[in-house]
Coordinates of all heavy atoms in Angstrom, one line a residue:
W1 N 0.8 -1.2 0.0 CA 0.0 0.0 0.0 C 0.9 1.2 0.0 O 1.8 1.3 0.8 CB -0.9 -0.1 1.2 CG -1.9 1.0 1.3 CD1 -3.0 1.2 0.4 CD2 -1.9 2.1 2.2 NE1 -3.6 2.3 0.8 CE2 -3.0 2.9 1.9 CE3 -1.2 2.4 3.3 CZ2 -3.4 4.0 2.6 CZ3 -1.5 3.6 4.0 CH2 -2.6 4.3 3.6
M2 N 0.6 2.2 -0.9 CA 1.4 3.3 -1.0 C 1.0 4.5 -0.2 O 1.7 5.5 -0.1 CB 1.5 3.7 -2.5 CG 2.1 2.7 -3.4 SD 2.2 3.1 -5.1 CE 0.7 2.3 -5.7
G3 N -0.2 4.5 0.4 CA -0.6 5.6 1.2 C -1.4 6.7 0.5 O -1.8 7.7 1.2
F4 N -1.7 6.5 -0.7 CA -2.5 7.5 -1.5 C -4.0 7.1 -1.3 O -4.3 5.9 -1.5 CB -2.1 7.5 -2.9 CG -0.7 8.0 -3.1 CD1 0.3 7.1 -3.4 CD2 -0.3 9.3 -3.1 CE1 1.6 7.4 -3.6 CE2 1.0 9.7 -3.2 CZ 2.0 8.8 -3.5
G5 N -4.8 8.1 -1.1 CA -6.2 7.8 -1.0 C -7.1 8.0 -2.2 O -8.3 7.7 -2.2
S6 N -6.5 8.6 -3.2 CA -7.2 8.9 -4.4 C -6.3 9.1 -5.6 O -5.1 9.3 -5.4 CB -8.1 10.1 -4.2 OG -7.3 11.3 -4.1
K7 N -6.9 9.1 -6.8 CA -6.1 9.4 -8.0 C -5.6 10.9 -7.9 O -4.5 11.2 -8.3 CB -7.1 9.3 -9.2 CG -6.5 9.7 -10.5 CD -7.6 9.5 -11.6 CE -7.2 10.0 -12.9 NZ -8.3 9.8 -13.9
E8 N -6.4 11.8 -7.3 CA -6.0 13.2 -7.2 C -4.7 13.3 -6.3 O -3.8 14.1 -6.6 CB -7.1 14.0 -6.7 CG -8.3 14.2 -7.6 CD -9.1 12.9 -7.9 OE1 -9.2 12.1 -6.9 OE2 -9.6 12.8 -9.0
E9 N -4.7 12.5 -5.2 CA -3.5 12.5 -4.3 C -2.3 12.0 -5.0 O -1.2 12.5 -4.9 CB -3.8 11.7 -3.1 CG -4.7 12.3 -2.1 CD -4.9 11.5 -0.8 OE1 -4.1 10.6 -0.5 OE2 -5.9 11.7 -0.1
W10 N -2.5 11.0 -5.8 CA -1.4 10.4 -6.6 C -0.8 11.5 -7.6 O 0.4 11.7 -7.7 CB -1.9 9.2 -7.4 CG -0.9 8.6 -8.4 CD1 -0.8 8.8 -9.7 CD2 0.1 7.7 -8.0 NE1 0.3 8.1 -10.2 CE2 0.8 7.4 -9.2 CE3 0.5 7.0 -6.8 CZ2 1.9 6.5 -9.2 CZ3 1.5 6.2 -6.9 CH2 2.2 5.9 -8.0
Y11 N -1.7 12.2 -8.3 CA -1.3 13.3 -9.2 C -0.6 14.4 -8.5 O 0.3 15.1 -9.0 CB -2.4 13.8 -10.1 CG -2.7 12.9 -11.2 CD1 -4.0 12.5 -11.5 CD2 -1.7 12.4 -12.0 CE1 -4.3 11.7 -12.6 CE2 -2.0 11.5 -13.1 CZ -3.3 11.2 -13.4 OH -3.6 10.4 -14.4
A12 N -1.1 14.7 -7.2 CA -0.5 15.8 -6.5 C 0.9 15.5 -5.9 O 1.6 16.4 -5.6 CB -1.5 16.2 -5.3
Y13 N 1.2 14.3 -5.8 CA 2.5 13.8 -5.3 C 3.6 14.4 -6.2 O 3.5 14.5 -7.4 CB 2.6 12.3 -5.3 CG 3.9 11.7 -4.7 CD1 4.1 11.9 -3.4 CD2 4.8 11.1 -5.5 CE1 5.3 11.3 -2.8 CE2 5.9 10.6 -5.0 CZ 6.2 10.7 -3.7 OH 7.3 10.2 -3.2
E14 N 4.7 14.8 -5.6 CA 5.8 15.3 -6.4 C 6.5 14.3 -7.2 O 7.1 13.4 -6.7 CB 6.9 16.0 -5.4 CG 8.1 16.6 -6.1 CD 7.7 17.8 -7.0 OE1 6.8 18.5 -6.6 OE2 8.3 17.9 -8.0
F15 N 6.4 14.4 -8.5 CA 7.0 13.5 -9.5 C 8.2 14.2 -10.2 O 8.0 14.8 -11.2 CB 6.0 13.0 -10.5 CG 5.1 11.9 -9.9 CD1 3.9 12.2 -9.2 CD2 5.4 10.6 -10.1 CE1 3.1 11.2 -8.7 CE2 4.6 9.6 -9.6 CZ 3.5 9.9 -8.9
E16 N 9.4 14.0 -9.6 CA 10.6 14.5 -10.2 C 10.9 13.8 -11.5 O 11.1 12.5 -11.4 CB 11.7 14.5 -9.2 CG 12.3 15.8 -8.8 CD 13.3 15.6 -7.8 OE1 14.4 15.2 -8.2 OE2 13.0 15.9 -6.6
G17 N 11.1 14.4 -12.6 CA 11.5 13.8 -13.8 C 10.4 12.7 -14.3 O 10.7 11.8 -15.0
G18 N 9.2 12.9 -13.8 CA 8.1 12.0 -14.3 C 7.9 10.8 -13.4 O 7.1 10.0 -13.6
R19 N 8.8 10.7 -12.3 CA 8.7 9.5 -11.4 C 8.8 10.0 -10.0 O 9.5 11.0 -9.7 CB 9.8 8.5 -11.7 CG 9.7 7.8 -13.0 CD 10.7 6.7 -13.2 NE 10.4 6.0 -14.5 CZ 9.6 5.0 -14.6 NH1 9.0 4.5 -13.6 NH2 9.4 4.5 -15.8
G20 N 8.1 9.3 -9.1 CA 8.2 9.7 -7.7 C 9.2 8.9 -6.9 O 10.0 8.2 -7.5
A21 N 9.2 9.1 -5.6 CA 10.2 8.4 -4.8 C 10.1 6.9 -4.9 O 11.0 6.2 -4.7 CB 9.9 8.8 -3.3
Y22 N 8.9 6.4 -5.3 CA 8.7 4.9 -5.5 C 9.2 4.4 -6.8 O 9.2 3.3 -7.1 CB 7.2 4.6 -5.4 CG 6.6 4.8 -4.0 CD1 5.8 5.9 -3.8 CD2 6.9 4.0 -2.9 CE1 5.2 6.2 -2.6 CE2 6.3 4.3 -1.7 CZ 5.5 5.3 -1.5 OH 4.9 5.6 -0.3
Q23 N 9.7 5.4 -7.6 CA 10.2 5.0 -9.0 C 9.1 4.4 -9.8 O 9.2 3.5 -10.6 CB 11.4 4.1 -9.0 CG 12.6 4.8 -8.4 CD 13.0 6.0 -9.2 OE1 13.3 5.9 -10.4 NE2 13.1 7.1 -8.6
L24 N 7.9 4.9 -9.6 CA 6.7 4.5 -10.4 C 6.2 5.6 -11.3 O 6.4 6.8 -11.0 CB 5.5 4.2 -9.4 CG 5.8 3.0 -8.5 CD1 4.7 2.9 -7.4 CD2 5.9 1.7 -9.3
P25 N 5.7 5.3 -12.4 CA 5.2 6.3 -13.3 C 4.0 7.1 -12.8 O 3.2 6.6 -12.1 CB 4.8 5.5 -14.6 CG 4.5 4.2 -14.1 CD 5.4 4.0 -12.9
K26 N 3.9 8.4 -13.2 CA 2.8 9.2 -12.8 C 1.5 8.8 -13.5 O 0.5 9.0 -13.0 CB 3.1 10.7 -13.0 CG 2.0 11.6 -12.5 CD 2.5 13.0 -12.5 CE 1.4 13.9 -11.8 NZ 1.9 15.2 -11.6
D27 N 1.7 8.2 -14.6 CA 0.5 7.8 -15.4 C 0.5 6.2 -15.6 O 0.6 5.8 -16.7 CB 0.5 8.5 -16.7 CG 1.8 8.4 -17.5 OD1 2.8 7.8 -17.0 OD2 1.8 8.8 -18.7
P28 N 0.3 5.5 -14.5 CA 0.3 4.0 -14.7 C -0.7 3.5 -15.6 O -0.5 2.4 -16.2 CB 0.1 3.5 -13.2 CG -0.6 4.6 -12.6 CD -0.1 5.9 -13.2
D29 N -1.8 4.2 -15.7 CA -2.9 3.7 -16.6 C -2.5 3.7 -18.1 O -3.0 3.0 -18.9 CB -4.2 4.6 -16.4 CG -3.9 6.1 -16.6 OD1 -2.8 6.5 -16.3 OD2 -4.9 6.8 -16.9
V30 N -1.4 4.6 -18.4 CA -0.9 4.6 -19.8 C 0.3 3.6 -19.9 O 0.3 2.8 -20.8 CB -0.5 6.0 -20.1 CG1 0.2 6.1 -21.5 CG2 -1.7 7.0 -20.1
V31 N 1.2 3.7 -18.9 CA 2.4 2.9 -18.9 C 2.1 1.4 -18.8 O 2.7 0.6 -19.5 CB 3.4 3.3 -17.8 CG1 4.6 2.4 -17.7 CG2 3.8 4.8 -18.0
Y32 N 1.2 1.1 -18.0 CA 0.8 -0.3 -17.8 C -0.6 -0.6 -18.4 O -1.4 -1.4 -17.8 CB 0.8 -0.7 -16.3 CG 2.1 -0.4 -15.6 CD1 2.2 0.5 -14.5 CD2 3.3 -1.0 -16.0 CE1 3.3 0.7 -13.8 CE2 4.5 -0.7 -15.4 CZ 4.5 0.1 -14.3 OH 5.7 0.4 -13.7
A33 N -0.9 0.0 -19.5 CA -2.2 -0.1 -20.1 C -2.8 -1.5 -20.2 O -4.0 -1.8 -20.0 CB -2.3 0.6 -21.4
E34 N -1.9 -2.5 -20.5 CA -2.4 -3.9 -20.7 C -2.8 -4.5 -19.4 O -3.8 -5.3 -19.4 CB -1.3 -4.7 -21.3 CG -1.0 -4.4 -22.7 CD -2.1 -4.7 -23.7 OE1 -2.7 -5.8 -23.5 OE2 -2.4 -3.9 -24.5
E35 N -2.2 -4.1 -18.3 CA -2.5 -4.7 -17.0 C -3.4 -3.9 -16.1 O -3.9 -4.3 -15.1 CB -1.2 -5.1 -16.2 CG -0.3 -6.1 -16.9 CD 0.6 -5.4 -17.9 OE1 0.8 -4.2 -17.9 OE2 1.2 -6.2 -18.7
F36 N -3.4 -2.6 -16.4 CA -4.1 -1.6 -15.5 C -5.6 -1.9 -15.4 O -6.3 -2.1 -16.4 CB -3.9 -0.2 -16.0 CG -4.3 0.9 -15.1 CD1 -3.4 1.3 -14.1 CD2 -5.6 1.4 -15.1 CE1 -3.8 2.3 -13.2 CE2 -5.9 2.4 -14.2 CZ -5.1 2.9 -13.3
V37 N -6.1 -2.1 -14.2 CA -7.5 -2.4 -14.0 C -8.3 -1.1 -13.7 O -9.2 -0.8 -14.5 CB -7.7 -3.4 -12.8 CG1 -9.2 -3.6 -12.5 CG2 -7.0 -4.7 -13.1
D38 N -8.0 -0.4 -12.7 CA -8.6 0.9 -12.4 C -7.8 1.5 -11.2 O -6.8 0.9 -10.7 CB -10.1 0.8 -12.0 CG -10.3 -0.1 -10.7 OD1 -9.4 -0.2 -9.9 OD2 -11.4 -0.6 -10.6
W39 N -8.1 2.8 -10.9 CA -7.3 3.5 -9.9 C -7.4 2.9 -8.5 O -6.5 2.9 -7.7 CB -7.6 5.0 -9.9 CG -6.9 5.7 -11.0 CD1 -7.4 5.9 -12.3 CD2 -5.5 6.1 -11.0 NE1 -6.4 6.5 -13.1 CE2 -5.2 6.7 -12.3 CE3 -4.5 6.1 -10.1 CZ2 -4.0 7.2 -12.6 CZ3 -3.3 6.7 -10.4 CH2 -3.1 7.2 -11.6
G40 N -8.6 2.4 -8.2 CA -8.8 1.8 -6.9 C -7.9 0.6 -6.7 O -7.3 0.3 -5.7
D41 N -7.8 -0.2 -7.8 CA -6.9 -1.4 -7.8 C -5.4 -1.0 -7.7 O -4.7 -1.5 -6.9 CB -7.1 -2.2 -9.1 CG -6.2 -3.4 -9.1 OD1 -6.4 -4.3 -8.3 OD2 -5.4 -3.5 -10.0
W42 N -5.0 0.0 -8.5 CA -3.7 0.5 -8.5 C -3.3 1.0 -7.1 O -2.2 0.8 -6.6 CB -3.5 1.6 -9.5 CG -2.2 2.3 -9.5 CD1 -1.9 3.5 -9.0 CD2 -0.9 1.8 -10.0 NE1 -0.5 3.8 -9.2 CE2 0.1 2.7 -9.8 CE3 -0.6 0.5 -10.6 CZ2 1.4 2.5 -10.1 CZ3 0.8 0.4 -10.9 CH2 1.7 1.3 -10.7
L43 N -4.2 1.8 -6.4 CA -3.8 2.4 -5.1 C -4.1 1.5 -4.0 O -3.8 1.8 -2.8 CB -4.6 3.7 -5.0 CG -4.2 4.8 -6.0 CD1 -5.2 6.0 -5.8 CD2 -2.8 5.2 -5.9
G44 N -4.7 0.3 -4.3 CA -5.1 -0.6 -3.2 C -6.3 -0.2 -2.4 O -6.4 -0.6 -1.2
L45 N -7.2 0.5 -3.0 CA -8.4 1.0 -2.3 C -9.5 0.0 -2.4 O -9.8 -0.5 -3.5 CB -8.8 2.4 -2.8 CG -7.8 3.5 -2.8 CD1 -8.3 4.7 -3.5 CD2 -7.3 3.8 -1.4
M46 N -10.1 -0.3 -1.4 CA -11.3 -1.2 -1.4 C -12.5 -0.5 -0.8 O -12.4 0.5 -0.1 CB -11.0 -2.5 -0.7 CG -9.9 -3.3 -1.4 SD -9.5 -4.9 -0.6 CE -11.1 -5.6 -0.4
L47 N -13.6 -0.9 -1.2 CA -14.9 -0.4 -0.7 C -15.1 -0.8 0.7 O -14.6 -1.8 1.2 CB -16.1 -0.9 -1.6 CG -16.1 -0.5 -3.0 CD1 -17.2 -1.3 -3.7 CD2 -16.2 0.9 -3.2
P48 N -15.9 0.0 1.4 CA -16.3 -0.4 2.8 C -17.0 -1.7 2.7 O -17.6 -2.1 1.7 CB -17.2 0.7 3.3 CG -16.9 1.9 2.4 CD -16.4 1.3 1.1
F49 N -17.0 -2.5 3.8 CA -17.6 -3.8 3.8 C -19.0 -3.9 3.3 O -19.3 -4.7 2.4 CB -17.5 -4.4 5.2 CG -18.2 -5.7 5.3 CD1 -17.6 -6.9 4.9 CD2 -19.5 -5.8 5.8 CE1 -18.2 -8.1 4.9 CE2 -20.2 -7.1 5.9 CZ -19.5 -8.2 5.4
E50 N -19.9 -3.0 3.8 CA -21.3 -3.1 3.4 C -21.4 -2.9 1.8 O -22.1 -3.6 1.2 CB -22.1 -2.0 4.1 CG -22.2 -2.2 5.6 CD -23.0 -3.4 6.0 OE1 -23.9 -3.8 5.3 OE2 -22.7 -4.0 7.0
E51 N -20.7 -2.0 1.3 CA -20.7 -1.7 -0.1 C -20.1 -2.8 -0.9 O -20.6 -3.2 -2.0 CB -20.0 -0.4 -0.4 CG -20.4 0.3 -1.7 CD -19.8 1.6 -1.9 OE1 -19.5 2.3 -0.9 OE2 -19.6 2.0 -3.1
A52 N -19.0 -3.4 -0.5 CA -18.4 -4.5 -1.1 C -19.3 -5.7 -1.1 O -19.4 -6.4 -2.1 CB -17.0 -4.8 -0.5
R53 N -19.9 -6.0 0.0 CA -20.9 -7.1 0.1 C -22.0 -6.9 -1.0 O -22.4 -7.9 -1.7 CB -21.4 -7.2 1.5 CG -22.4 -8.4 1.6 CD -22.8 -8.7 3.0 NE -23.5 -7.5 3.5 CZ -23.9 -7.3 4.7 NH1 -23.7 -8.3 5.6 NH2 -24.6 -6.2 5.1
E54 N -22.5 -5.7 -1.0 CA -23.6 -5.4 -2.0 C -23.1 -5.7 -3.4 O -23.8 -6.3 -4.2 CB -24.1 -4.0 -1.8 CG -25.2 -3.6 -2.7 CD -25.7 -2.2 -2.5 OE1 -25.7 -1.7 -1.3 OE2 -26.0 -1.5 -3.5
K55 N -21.9 -5.2 -3.8 CA -21.4 -5.4 -5.1 C -21.2 -6.9 -5.4 O -21.5 -7.4 -6.4 CB -20.0 -4.8 -5.2 CG -20.1 -3.3 -5.3 CD -19.9 -2.8 -6.7 CE -19.8 -1.3 -6.7 NZ -20.1 -0.7 -7.9
A56 N -20.6 -7.6 -4.4 CA -20.4 -9.1 -4.6 C -21.7 -9.8 -4.8 O -21.8 -10.7 -5.7 CB -19.7 -9.7 -3.4
R57 N -22.7 -9.5 -4.0 CA -24.0 -10.1 -4.2 C -24.7 -9.7 -5.5 O -25.3 -10.6 -6.1 CB -25.0 -9.7 -3.0 CG -24.6 -10.3 -1.7 CD -25.5 -9.9 -0.6 NE -25.1 -10.6 0.6 CZ -25.7 -10.3 1.8 NH1 -26.6 -9.4 1.9 NH2 -25.3 -11.0 2.9
S58 N -24.4 -8.5 -6.0 CA -25.0 -8.1 -7.3 C -24.3 -8.9 -8.5 O -24.9 -9.0 -9.6 CB -24.8 -6.6 -7.5 OG -23.5 -6.3 -7.9
L59 N -23.2 -9.5 -8.3 CA -22.5 -10.3 -9.3 C -23.2 -11.6 -9.5 O -22.9 -12.3 -10.5 CB -21.0 -10.4 -9.1 CG -20.2 -9.1 -9.2 CD1 -18.8 -9.3 -8.7 CD2 -20.2 -8.6 -10.6
G60 N -24.0 -12.0 -8.5 CA -24.8 -13.2 -8.7 C -24.2 -14.6 -8.5 O -24.6 -15.6 -9.1
F61 N -23.1 -14.6 -7.7 CA -22.5 -15.9 -7.5 C -23.4 -16.8 -6.7 O -24.1 -16.4 -5.8 CB -21.2 -15.7 -6.6 CG -20.2 -14.8 -7.3 CD1 -19.8 -13.6 -6.7 CD2 -19.6 -15.1 -8.5 CE1 -18.9 -12.8 -7.2 CE2 -18.7 -14.3 -9.1 CZ -18.3 -13.1 -8.5
K62 N -23.5 -18.1 -7.2 CA -24.3 -19.1 -6.5 C -23.5 -20.0 -5.6 O -24.1 -20.5 -4.6 CB -25.0 -19.9 -7.6 CG -25.8 -19.1 -8.6 CD -27.3 -19.4 -8.4 CE -28.1 -18.7 -9.5 NZ -28.1 -17.3 -9.6
T63 N -22.2 -20.1 -5.8 CA -21.4 -20.9 -4.9 C -20.1 -20.2 -4.6 O -19.7 -19.3 -5.3 CB -21.1 -22.3 -5.6 OG1 -20.2 -22.0 -6.8 CG2 -22.3 -23.0 -6.1
Q64 N -19.4 -20.7 -3.6 CA -18.1 -20.2 -3.3 C -17.1 -20.5 -4.4 O -16.2 -19.7 -4.7 CB -17.6 -20.9 -2.0 CG -16.3 -20.4 -1.5 CD -15.9 -21.0 -0.1 OE1 -16.7 -21.7 0.5 NE2 -14.7 -20.8 0.3
E65 N -17.3 -21.6 -5.1 CA -16.4 -21.9 -6.3 C -16.6 -20.9 -7.4 O -15.6 -20.5 -8.0 CB -16.8 -23.3 -6.8 CG -16.3 -24.5 -5.9 CD -17.3 -24.6 -4.6 OE1 -18.5 -24.2 -4.7 OE2 -16.8 -25.1 -3.6
E66 N -17.8 -20.4 -7.6 CA -18.0 -19.4 -8.7 C -17.3 -18.1 -8.3 O -16.6 -17.5 -9.1 CB -19.5 -19.1 -8.8 CG -20.3 -20.1 -9.6 CD -21.7 -19.8 -9.7 OE1 -22.1 -18.7 -9.3 OE2 -22.5 -20.6 -10.2
Y67 N -17.3 -17.8 -7.0 CA -16.6 -16.6 -6.5 C -15.1 -16.8 -6.7 O -14.4 -15.9 -7.2 CB -17.0 -16.3 -5.1 CG -16.2 -15.2 -4.5 CD1 -16.4 -13.9 -4.8 CD2 -15.1 -15.5 -3.6 CE1 -15.7 -12.9 -4.3 CE2 -14.3 -14.5 -3.1 CZ -14.6 -13.2 -3.4 OH -13.8 -12.1 -2.9
A68 N -14.6 -17.9 -6.3 CA -13.2 -18.2 -6.4 C -12.7 -18.2 -7.8 O -11.6 -17.6 -8.1 CB -12.9 -19.6 -5.8
D69 N -13.5 -18.7 -8.8 CA -13.2 -18.7 -10.2 C -13.1 -17.2 -10.7 O -12.2 -16.9 -11.4 CB -14.2 -19.4 -11.0 CG -14.1 -20.9 -10.9 OD1 -13.1 -21.4 -10.3 OD2 -15.1 -21.6 -11.3
Y70 N -14.0 -16.4 -10.2 CA -14.0 -15.0 -10.6 C -12.7 -14.3 -10.0 O -12.0 -13.6 -10.8 CB -15.2 -14.3 -10.1 CG -15.2 -12.8 -10.4 CD1 -15.6 -12.3 -11.6 CD2 -14.8 -11.9 -9.4 CE1 -15.5 -11.0 -11.9 CE2 -14.7 -10.5 -9.7 CZ -15.1 -10.1 -11.0 OH -15.1 -8.8 -11.2
V71 N -12.4 -14.5 -8.8 CA -11.3 -13.9 -8.1 C -10.0 -14.3 -8.8 O -9.1 -13.5 -9.0 CB -11.2 -14.2 -6.6 CG1 -9.9 -13.7 -6.0 CG2 -12.4 -13.6 -5.9
L72 N -9.9 -15.5 -9.2 CA -8.7 -16.0 -9.9 C -8.6 -15.7 -11.4 O -7.6 -16.0 -12.0 CB -8.5 -17.5 -9.6 CG -8.4 -17.9 -8.1 CD1 -8.4 -19.4 -8.0 CD2 -7.1 -17.3 -7.5
A73 N -9.6 -15.2 -11.9 CA -9.6 -14.9 -13.4 C -8.6 -13.8 -13.7 O -8.3 -13.0 -12.8 CB -11.0 -14.4 -13.8
P74 N -8.0 -13.8 -14.9 CA -7.1 -12.7 -15.3 C -7.7 -11.3 -15.1 O -8.9 -11.1 -15.3 CB -6.8 -13.0 -16.8 CG -7.1 -14.5 -16.9 CD -8.3 -14.8 -15.9
Q75 N -6.9 -10.4 -14.8 CA -7.3 -9.0 -14.5 C -8.1 -8.4 -15.6 O -9.0 -7.6 -15.4 CB -6.1 -8.1 -14.1 CG -5.5 -8.4 -12.8 CD -6.4 -8.2 -11.7 OE1 -7.1 -7.2 -11.6 NE2 -6.5 -9.1 -10.7
R76 N -7.7 -8.7 -16.9 CA -8.4 -8.0 -18.0 C -9.8 -8.5 -18.1 O -10.7 -7.7 -18.5 CB -7.7 -8.4 -19.3 CG -6.3 -7.7 -19.5 CD -6.5 -6.2 -19.4 NE -6.5 -5.6 -20.7 CZ -6.6 -4.3 -20.8 NH1 -6.7 -3.5 -19.8 NH2 -6.6 -3.7 -22.0
E77 N -10.1 -9.7 -17.7 CA -11.5 -10.1 -17.6 C -12.3 -9.3 -16.6 O -13.4 -9.0 -16.8 CB -11.6 -11.6 -17.3 CG -11.2 -12.5 -18.4 CD -11.2 -14.0 -18.0 OE1 -12.1 -14.3 -17.2 OE2 -10.4 -14.8 -18.5
K78 N -11.7 -9.1 -15.5 CA -12.3 -8.3 -14.4 C -12.6 -6.9 -14.8 O -13.5 -6.3 -14.3 CB -11.5 -8.4 -13.1 CG -11.4 -9.8 -12.5 CD -10.6 -9.7 -11.2 CE -10.1 -11.0 -10.9 NZ -9.2 -11.0 -9.7
Q79 N -11.7 -6.3 -15.6 CA -11.7 -4.9 -15.9 C -13.1 -4.6 -16.6 O -13.6 -3.5 -16.3 CB -10.6 -4.5 -16.8 CG -10.5 -3.1 -17.1 CD -9.3 -2.7 -17.9 OE1 -8.5 -3.5 -18.3 NE2 -9.1 -1.4 -18.1
S80 N -13.6 -5.5 -17.3 CA -14.9 -5.2 -18.0 C -16.1 -5.4 -17.1 O -17.2 -5.1 -17.5 CB -15.0 -6.1 -19.2 OG -15.1 -7.5 -18.8
Q81 N -15.8 -5.9 -15.9 CA -16.9 -6.1 -15.0 C -16.8 -5.1 -13.9 O -15.8 -4.4 -13.6 CB -16.9 -7.5 -14.4 CG -17.0 -8.6 -15.5 CD -16.9 -10.0 -14.9 OE1 -17.1 -10.2 -13.7 NE2 -16.5 -10.9 -15.7
D82 N -17.9 -4.9 -13.1 CA -18.0 -4.0 -12.0 C -17.4 -4.7 -10.8 O -18.1 -5.5 -10.2 CB -19.4 -3.5 -11.8 CG -19.5 -2.4 -10.8 OD1 -18.5 -1.8 -10.5 OD2 -20.6 -2.1 -10.4
W83 N -16.2 -4.4 -10.4 CA -15.6 -5.1 -9.3 C -15.6 -4.2 -8.0 O -15.9 -3.0 -8.1 CB -14.2 -5.5 -9.7 CG -13.5 -6.3 -8.6 CD1 -12.2 -6.2 -8.2 CD2 -14.0 -7.5 -7.9 NE1 -11.9 -7.1 -7.2 CE2 -13.0 -7.9 -7.1 CE3 -15.2 -8.1 -7.9 CZ2 -13.1 -9.0 -6.2 CZ3 -15.3 -9.2 -7.1 CH2 -14.3 -9.7 -6.2
A84 N -15.3 -4.8 -6.9 CA -15.5 -4.1 -5.6 C -14.3 -3.2 -5.2 O -13.9 -3.2 -4.1 CB -15.7 -5.2 -4.5
F85 N -13.8 -2.5 -6.2 CA -12.8 -1.5 -5.9 C -13.3 -0.1 -6.2 O -14.0 0.1 -7.1 CB -11.5 -1.7 -6.8 CG -10.7 -2.9 -6.4 CD1 -10.8 -4.0 -7.1 CD2 -9.9 -2.9 -5.2 CE1 -10.0 -5.1 -6.8 CE2 -9.2 -4.0 -4.9 CZ -9.2 -5.1 -5.7
A86 N -13.0 0.8 -5.3 CA -13.4 2.2 -5.5 C -12.6 2.8 -6.7 O -11.5 2.5 -6.9 CB -13.2 3.0 -4.3
S87 N -13.2 3.7 -7.4 CA -12.5 4.4 -8.5 C -12.1 5.8 -8.1 O -12.7 6.4 -7.3 CB -13.4 4.4 -9.8 OG -13.6 3.1 -10.2

């Protein structure tokens, strides 16, 4: 976890020469376009429990195995779906 709470905080961070102290790009959504899921995923932000539970239930899993298959699916498959990360 990098300690940023939002995309705006990430952009406000001092990026000398285009990179910050973490040696990470300021625009990871461009640099890592193939793997980038969303800003919530990048920053490690998750929804509060109640909201995450509602999202998970809305995905319609019938079994624990269906949920596990979803969680283990490649990130690009998840990107097209509404996942439990804040944006």
Side-chain angles (χ1 to χ4, degrees):
W1 184 68
M2 295 179 266
F4 298 101
S6 69
K7 177 179 172 180
E8 291 72 29
E9 286 181 21
W10 176 262
Y11 280 133
Y13 182 71
E14 182 63 39
F15 281 86
E16 243 177 75
R19 294 187 176 270
Y22 295 107
Q23 294 298 304
L24 296 171
K26 186 168 186 172
D27 53 355
D29 53 331
V30 174
V31 175
Y32 305 122
E34 290 295 316
E35 298 88 11
F36 193 84
V37 175
D38 62 25
W39 279 95
D41 179 64
W42 175 255
L43 297 174
L45 305 176
M46 292 182 50
L47 298 174
F49 174 79
E50 296 290 330
E51 199 172 337
R53 181 176 60 187
E54 183 179 319
K55 290 256 187 199
R57 288 179 176 172
S58 76
L59 291 171
F61 301 118
K62 303 250 187 295
T63 66
Q64 185 174 350
E65 289 76 24
E66 286 180 5
Y67 174 76
D69 288 344
Y70 177 81
V71 170
L72 298 174
Q75 290 296 317
R76 289 305 258 182
E77 288 179 33
K78 291 181 200 174
Q79 185 173 5
S80 65
Q81 300 178 24
D82 189 13
W83 186 227
F85 288 105
S87 297

